[in-house]
């Protein structure tokens, strides 16, 4: 992967993380930087998964199937991290 490819993957990952956070209902008590890290990881894993199941191909334009997998993985990641982070913050009535 070239430097341009890595920078592009990071930018796409940041956007994927933001979209994943928007998809998850409710308020997430986690920092935005953690959401972006989850987005970068989800973008990379989504690409691997899409290639593994044959969705991702060398097509011109946006690969909507790959993008959908990436956003779903980001949403799951955000929900899991927000759920685990929320367990440590119990408030008394």
């Amino acid at each position: 992967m070239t430097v341009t490819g890595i920078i592009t993957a990071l930018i796409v990952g940041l956007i994927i993380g933001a979209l994943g956070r928007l998809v998850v209902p409710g308020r997430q008590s986690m920092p935005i930087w953690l959401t972006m890290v989850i987005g970068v990881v989800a973008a990379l894993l989504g690409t691997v998964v899409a290639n593994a199941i044959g969705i991702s191909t060398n097509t011109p334009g946006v690969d909507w199937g790959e993008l959908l997998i990436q956003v779903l993985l980001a949403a799951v990641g955000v929900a899991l991290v927000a759920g685990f982070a929320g367990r440590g913050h119990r408030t008394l009535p």
Side-chain angles (χ1 to χ4, degrees):
M1 187 178 267
T2 65
V3 173
T4 305
I6 292 171
I7 292 171
T8 302
L10 290 174
I11 292 170
V12 168
L14 298 176
I15 295 167
I16 296 292
L19 289 174
R21 189 173 180 140
L22 288 174
V23 171
V24 176
R27 184 179 175 133
Q28 297 86 30
S29 59
M30 57 192 289
I32 193 73
W33 65 265
L34 185 56
T35 304
M36 299 306 157
V37 169
I38 293 169
V40 170
V41 172
L44 295 173
L45 284 176
T47 300
V48 170
V49 169
N51 285 328
I53 61 176
I55 289 180
S56 181
T57 59
N58 284 335
T59 57
V62 177
D63 192 349
W64 294 106
E66 181 179 356
L67 183 63
L68 178 65
I69 291 172
Q70 291 171 335
V71 171
L72 290 175
L73 286 174
V76 168
V78 167
L80 286 174
V81 171
F84 286 126
R87 291 179 187 253
H89 301 288
R90 295 185 182 225
T91 58
L92 297 173

